[in-house]
Amino acid sequence: MKIPVQYLILGLGLGGIYALSALGLVLVYRASGVINFANGAIGMVGTYLFYELHAKNGWSFAAAIVPSLIASAVIGYLAQVLFMSRLRNASPLVRLLATIGLLISLQSAMALRYPAQLLVLKSSLPTKGLHILGVVVGEDHILIFVIALVLAGALGAVYKFTRFGLATTAVSDDMIAAESLGYSANLIGAFNWAIASALSALGGILLAPIIGLTVGELTTLLVPALAAAVLGSMVSFPVTVGAALAIGIVQSEMSWYVKTGGWSQVVPFVAIVVVLAMRGTTIPGRGFQVQKLPRVSSGRIKPGNVIVAVGAGLALIELWPIAWVNGTAVTLAIAMLLLSFVVLTGYAGQLSLAQFALAGIGAFVAGRLIAAHHVPFPLDLLAGFVAAAPVGFLVGLPAVRTRGSNLAIATLGLSVAVEALVFDSYSWTGKSNGTNIGSPKFFGINLSAITHPRTYAVFTLILVTLVGMCVANLRRGRTGRRLLAIRANERAAAALGLRVASLKLYAFVLGSMIAALGGILLAFRNTSIVYSDFTATTSINLVGQAIVGGVGYVSGPVFGGTLQPASLGTNIGNLVFGQRVQEYLPLVSGILLIIILIRSPDGMASHSAHNVGKLIRLLARLLPSQLRRHPPQEVGTAAAPGGVTYSSGPREHKALEVRGLSVTYGGVRALDGVSLEVRPGSVVGLIGPNGAGKTTLIDAVTGFTHVTSGDILLDGMSLRGVPPRIRADKGVGRSFQSLELFEDMTVLENILVATETYSPVSYARDLFAPGTPVVSPVANAVIDEFKLRGDLQRIPSELPYGKRRLVGIARAIAAEPSILLLDEPAAGLGDSERDELVALIRAMSEERGIGILLVEHDVDLVMRACDRVTVLDFGRVIAQGSAAEVRSNPAVIEAYLGGGAEREPHVAQRDTEGHSNNERIGVAVDGPDQ
């Protein structure tokens, strides 16, 4: 019994360290909404300064700790002032990437000053053993635990009772309102960053005597600290501290009960995944902030350009010195790995910090097969490629219910777990000498990078080119369009019937398989594979390289690969600046990442594509004409001769019936017993003042919000509990009040996504033969009716607002729904456009038999377009009937003309529910129209 108790108390000390770092994460998040991945790295700087002052120069503990904490605080302060403030209007994901840039920069800078070596730091706390519950425990562990509790209590009091704390909360809740009251959001954020950074340094100073001082070790505190902060919802100090202590205790106890090493590192990962999965949603709510990610290329392949580029690469490999050939092989191997980010982040919008771990899995399978079972290299390559698929599927499971920054946290936890369980296990990886693979042969060709470096570089170039072409093909196929759709807007994608979860998992599986190929190419450059090199830290660095190179471009990974040590970047740097350049490349990568995010988020490839393209086109003129011809991508059409009209009809006529529908948010009923019916070929209007529940009704009918009671029937079949995608497949379509277009795609691609049917075969086929997209007859008719033919190759942001709204409606109609719900379709349209819209709505209902529910503030438009009108007020139906009957209804007149005095208290009541800022606007108050 004594030993478990002793480990429990030891775990309290470890948990106290985690708590100090986690409190810093919570502080920054409360002030600026940023998850600071650089928290541990900033604290590391203060810890090393403390080592220099206290251990090497003999300063007292008190004299050394003050400047050390101040140094970290200054770094945090400057980070906010110099670049985080410039990104305050960027998406949370972009701001997270900026902190990754800071993490890479600080860690690389400290690695230059303190190369891989363990420094011993004597504890400044009392270490005498205390007898507690019959066991002896060091005083330092108890003191760390007490320090964490005291700081949590002090921070809670400061942020609850002081003016600074209240100002921080005000800035977090509503930055614009707080600044209008005279508060500086930038200054308040900077001071919070400073406090958080000092806390991280304090944690590092207290932990270093226990585990030793190395550059990488302190940054690994990030995962358990993140787990504790996530358990505390990134806002609660006491819950965060409690979670940190619990994680420390469980890890400590597992080190006693579980003799196999590494399992204690799995605890934070499990905690993160479970909590995020429970709190997440399959489809984000109406208030979810759409992430703005780097631009994506068209994916068009020009054979002449490819031939010239590959030919130039082959010539250079043959002519370059061996050192440059080796640099080329490293660059290409990393480029292969970074191609996985193009699929996963560039196309699907999912940020994974586990790609290098997946690369290691591929190398592990291939290496162990060739070493232990003497399997030929081609089969090793195939086995490693295939083995990564199920692992990628498991990595992608959290993405079904999480996204953005939360997903990055979950994948980082997995990366740390894989490193601890697999790569650091000597019994699995060939002990300290690694796995001996000898000289691999590919169908008799010696691929040894040691004895035949040019052959290996050529093999790598060919493989990267083939995979790169597959990734480009994917972009042009229907699967690529669907991936871009979920990247741009998951709600709109689900409303069109896209299988959001399946597409995410596909991206993770394909990305993991490509990463595995990169890992194999990188590992097989040596005769022995040391799997401990596949670290979580490198996974983070690779994200930076992918973004700097251009994560939306197939050529971007080549630029990103040059930032890898021992790559062509090293060769070029050594030529210009002399030796030791490769040691500075990670530092350059981190700094470039921050600069790119601020100045050019599309990456280096977006700038170089034009100039490189011109050069390649010049060289391509030397090729035979048949290789140079590449007509622009054509769009097939299924239009019948003589044109197409709406008379082709929808998939089938269906009736929609809403019975006694109620929706509750917290303690507020947004809808209360609403009933209405939409028959085929009829137009039903839904009007009401702001806050009446109109958009909530559309969300309920289309499956985007939970129904408290009542039922929704489509041709007599209940839709309760049916996901949005299946409702769309059954013929329920919608437009969105906030447009929710796929901003990264052209108008044509927006419409194609709505018309293309699902086929699992396309997941594989699009990699090799994406084919020519075909526009359906109905889509062709819609394009002409909405006068979009001249805008098909433009992206939505290039269009005026009124035209953008028409694109959203056209996309919904192109899906050929039986029931169409239009949410504020006339907003932003001129008088003539409104008249045309009325005519189009009538044509859709009368000629195609579509049942339409029209939500609109323009009452006159509703009365002209609709057969029947339903009026909502405070979530209840107050009138139903023809236009004439509704106009003369006393309750309607009172709601529009006499209810203004009661409206604001009702909205304010909804605003007090426990929603986030975005949810207060987008969910509880039923969207901007309310």
Side-chain angles (χ1 to χ4, degrees), residues 306-320 325 328 332 453-463 465:
V306 173
I307 292 173
V308 169
V310 172
L314 293 173
L316 291 174
I317 289 172
E318 186 62 33
L319 298 174
W320 268 342
V325 172
T328 301
L332 292 171
R454 299 186 194 278
T455 306
Y456 191 80
V458 168
F459 175 78
T460 305
L461 173 63
I462 293 171
L463 202 57
T465 301

Side-chain angles (χ1 to χ4, degrees), residues 110-160:
M110 297 306 292
L112 290 171
R113 174 68 178 83
Y114 302 96
Q117 57 179 323
L118 178 66
L119 301 177
V120 178
L121 187 62
K122 184 179 179 181
S123 177
S124 299
L125 298 177
T127 56
K128 186 178 68 172
L130 293 177
H131 292 271
I132 301 175
L133 298 177
V135 299
V136 179
V137 182
E139 290 183 11
D140 52 345
H141 289 78
I142 303 300
L143 286 173
I144 291 171
F145 166 65
V146 172
I147 290 170
L149 291 183
V150 170
L151 283 174
L155 288 172
V158 166
Y159 283 85
K160 187 174 182 179

Side-chain angles (χ1 to χ4, degrees), residues 355-415:
Q355 293 309 100
F356 202 51
L358 293 166
I361 291 294
F364 173 78
V365 171
R368 296 307 296 167
L369 282 176
I370 198 171
H373 304 286
H374 308 292
V375 176
F377 177 68
L379 293 180
D380 294 327
L381 190 68
L382 179 62
F385 177 71
V386 173
V391 182
F393 181 86
L394 293 175
V395 174
L397 285 177
V400 175
R401 294 183 61 84
T402 61
R403 49 198 55 83
S405 302
N406 288 340
L407 179 60
I409 294 172
T411 53
L412 176 62
L414 173 78
S415 184

Side-chain angles (χ1 to χ4, degrees), residues 23-291:
L23 287 173
L25 292 171
V26 171
L27 280 176
V28 170
Y29 189 83
R30 283 170 64 112
S32 57
V34 176
I35 298 177
N36 180 17
F37 271 48
N39 189 58
I42 297 174
M44 172 190 63
V45 176
T47 305
Y48 270 102
L49 179 57
F50 178 81
Y51 166 80
E52 291 285 347
L53 298 177
H54 182 62
K56 294 186 68 176
N57 291 287
W59 290 29
S60 68
F61 175 81
I65 196 171
V66 173
S68 302
L69 298 183
I70 290 175
S72 288
V74 168
I75 293 173
Y77 183 94
L78 292 176
Q80 168 62 23
V81 170
L82 295 180
F83 59 88
M84 293 306 299
S85 61
R86 301 179 67 176
L87 295 170
R88 73 177 192 175
N89 294 322
S91 70
L93 189 56
V94 169
R95 288 181 287 167
L96 180 145
L97 288 169
T99 69
I100 287 179
L102 180 59
L103 163 64
I104 296 170
S105 302
L106 291 176
Q107 188 164 278
S108 303
M110 297 306 292
L112 290 171
R113 174 68 178 83
Y114 302 96
Q117 57 179 323
L118 178 66
L119 301 177
V120 178
L121 187 62
K122 184 179 179 181
S123 177
S124 299
L125 298 177
T127 56
K128 186 178 68 172
L130 293 177
H131 292 271
I132 301 175
L133 298 177
V135 299
V136 179
V137 182
E139 290 183 11
D140 52 345
H141 289 78
I142 303 300
L143 286 173
I144 291 171
F145 166 65
V146 172
I147 290 170
L149 291 183
V150 170
L151 283 174
L155 288 172
V158 166
Y159 283 85
K160 187 174 182 179
F161 299 113
T162 68
R163 184 176 180 181
F164 173 75
L166 296 175
T168 298
T169 303
V171 168
S172 176
D173 285 346
D174 193 328
M175 185 183 301
I176 295 176
E179 289 186 329
S180 69
L181 295 174
Y183 293 108
S184 170
N186 188 27
L187 194 60
I188 289 173
F191 277 112
N192 277 281
W193 271 76
I195 297 170
S197 301
L199 281 175
S200 180
L202 177 60
I205 291 169
L206 296 177
L207 180 65
I210 299 174
I211 64 171
L213 184 56
T214 60
V215 172
E217 192 66 36
L218 289 179
T219 56
T220 59
L221 283 176
L222 178 63
V223 173
L226 278 171
V230 166
L231 288 167
S233 301
M234 300 301 295
V235 292
S236 172
F237 293 127
V239 175
T240 297
V241 171
L245 295 175
I247 291 171
I249 290 171
V250 173
Q251 285 188 320
S252 182
E253 293 289 352
M254 285 189 70
S255 65
W256 165 250
Y257 286 106
V258 182
K259 301 305 180 184
T260 304
W263 280 101
S264 62
Q265 301 299 318
V266 179
V267 175
F269 165 66
V270 172
I272 289 171
V273 170
V274 170
V275 172
L276 292 180
M278 290 176 62
R279 293 177 181 170
T281 57
T282 305
I283 301 296
R286 204 187 317 162
F288 180 76
Q289 182 179 356
V290 176
Q291 310 285 357

Side-chain angles (χ1 to χ4, degrees), residues 423 426 429 431-435 523 526 528-534:
F423 303 146
Y426 284 171
T429 59
K431 303 189 185 298
S432 58
N433 295 325
T435 298
N526 302 305
S528 181
I529 305 174
V530 180
Y531 292 102
S532 58
D533 292 340
F534 290 92

